[in-house]
Amino acid sequence: MVQVVRTTKELQQIVKDTKKAGKTIGLVPTMGALHEGHGSLIAAARKENDFVIVSDFVNPTQFAPTEDLAAYPRTFAHDCELAEQMGADVLFLPSPKEMYPSEDMTWVEVTGRITQVLCGRTRPIHFRGVATVVTKLFHLAQPDRAYFGQKDAQQAEVLRRMVKDLFFPLEIREMPIVREADGLAKSSRNVYLKPAERKAALVLSKSLFAAQKAFEAGERSTQKLTDGTRAMIAAEPMSDIDYVEMHALPELTPAHGTVDCPHLLAVAVRFGTTRLIDNVILDPSK
Ligand code: AMP
């Protein structure tokens, strides 16, 4: 039975007892509205740790005032069921006041190119909010391993850097993107899509898979691969492109012109008012 925990104090006591018993802890941070993408992270945490904590918190500090904080889907009963089904021990469900007790903020901010490109350009305060809340969760849950999705590949890179710079004694585990049967990456935001937008959004995975195929057939030009992806998306009349870009991994350094090491090809596109992200990793060693 998954234990629902709402206070930091209670969570800290559970973590203390778990550590004392010599158990390893896996943490899966989420914003709730859980789907199979989150489920895959919980399943991986279950496999690799003795104790699994899933956090379910719509973090206000990573949303700009113009973004969808108020509308973000909240499906608590369903989240409880899925977390339990996937084998979580604790579902941590704090209130904003519980996570941010003071009005005046203490921020954790990863600076430089890694937070300035891609989503960092259109969502300038986003990664500061993510780094701050994840730091709080790391201190509360003291995980041996923390699980994130490649769906938010930039977030995983930012958090890897934070873990390295702040000497967090834990491992970041990044899991593959879970998709709908037709290719659309699973996302809590997919519920916003009107039927025509949902259909149009398929162009994201289609264009990324086309780039992957071209890459596998030998294309190595970052320009050609990026341009081909952008052209396919732009040809969909309902799409409104935020970015289609390639950056080298790790750490999102500038693309080399030639895909001579792993590169991230990432897209962010609006369909109506819904902004979706997706990506593929092009790795010449595979
Ligand atoms: P979110 O609740 O959207 O903030 O996501 C919580 C975690 O689940 C993040 O690490 C995401 O990258 C991950 N995630 C979201 N969607 C997917 C997906 N389709 N496949 C794999 N992981 C995902």
Side-chain angles (χ1 to χ4, degrees):
M1 189 75 184
V2 70
Q3 186 180 353
V4 176
V5 172
R6 292 177 188 274
T7 66
T8 53
K9 210 167 169 189
E10 198 187 340
L11 183 65
Q12 282 174 307
Q13 188 57 53
I14 291 169
V15 167
K16 202 170 168 191
D17 294 344
T18 306
K19 293 259 168 199
K20 214 166 160 188
K23 293 182 177 172
T24 56
I25 297 177
L27 172 70
V28 184
T30 82
M31 296 209 300
L34 299 185
H35 50 66
E36 287 92 334
H38 302 112
S40 74
L41 307 187
I42 303 171
R46 177 72 284 162
K47 216 163 124 191
E48 298 174 356
N49 303 275
D50 301 321
F51 196 81
V52 175
I53 301 171
V54 177
S55 65
D56 185 329
F57 178 61
V58 184
N59 175 37
T61 63
Q62 69 191 66
F63 289 79
T66 51
E67 293 179 348
D68 58 339
L69 173 63
Y72 198 83
R74 286 154 170 97
T75 60
F76 167 64
H78 161 82
D79 292 356
C80 250
E81 258 171 49
L82 188 78
E84 169 140 341
Q85 208 180 305
M86 302 313 292
D89 295 295
V90 162
L91 185 63
F92 180 48
L93 204 93
S95 66
K97 188 81 193 151
E98 192 67 24
M99 288 302 277
Y100 294 101
S102 321
E103 295 260 310
D104 293 325
M105 284 288 309
T106 298
W107 293 110
V108 177
E109 187 165 11
V110 177
T111 61
R113 190 177 197 277
I114 201 168
T115 51
Q116 286 162 359
V117 295
L118 302 176
C119 290
R121 205 172 47 238
T122 22
R123 307 185 73 191
I125 63 154
H126 177 70
F127 289 112
R128 184 184 69 169
V130 170
T132 300
V133 81
V134 171
T135 294
K136 288 172 184 258
L137 291 169
F138 283 175
H139 283 309
L140 290 167
Q142 297 181 39
D144 296 275
R145 296 173 197 86
Y147 294 79
F148 297 91
Q150 186 202 312
K151 165 87 187 339
D152 299 86
Q154 183 175 18
Q155 171 176 275
E157 291 302 323
V158 169
L159 293 175
R160 267 200 201 100
R161 165 80 79 72
M162 181 185 89
V163 160
K164 188 172 150 222
D165 287 351
L166 299 185
F167 308 107
F168 278 106
L170 59 88
E171 186 190 345
I172 297 270
R173 302 274 292 123
E174 187 174 348
M175 297 294 137
I177 301 176
V178 176
R179 298 177 179 279
E180 303 287 352
D182 60 8
L184 182 71
K186 286 192 187 264
S187 163
S188 306
R189 290 190 165 97
N190 289 349
V191 295
Y192 298 154
L193 295 167
K194 298 193 177 97
E197 294 164 354
R198 168 71 181 74
K199 223 167 150 187
L202 279 182
V203 73
L204 301 188
S205 53
K206 274 195 186 143
S207 64
L208 290 167
F209 293 164
Q212 178 122 48
K213 213 166 155 199
F215 174 74
E216 281 161 10
E219 181 58 74
R220 289 291 181 271
S221 158
T222 54
Q223 178 90 43
K224 279 193 189 149
L225 290 162
T226 311
D227 287 352
T229 310
R230 189 180 299 106
M232 253 179 102
I233 298 174
E236 163 51 58
M238 295 189 89
S239 74
D240 173 14
I241 294 177
D242 178 351
Y243 61 72
V244 177
E245 287 176 28
M246 212 187 292
H247 299 270
L249 289 169
E251 298 229 337
L252 307 180
T253 50
H256 298 181
T258 304
V259 187
D260 54 0
C261 69
H263 276 58
L264 178 73
L265 174 57
V267 304
V269 179
R270 275 198 181 71
F271 296 89
T273 53
T274 307
R275 181 177 175 279
L276 300 179
I277 58 171
D278 200 351
N279 67 73
V280 288
I281 292 172
L282 304 177
D283 183 350
S285 74
K286 285 189 179 153

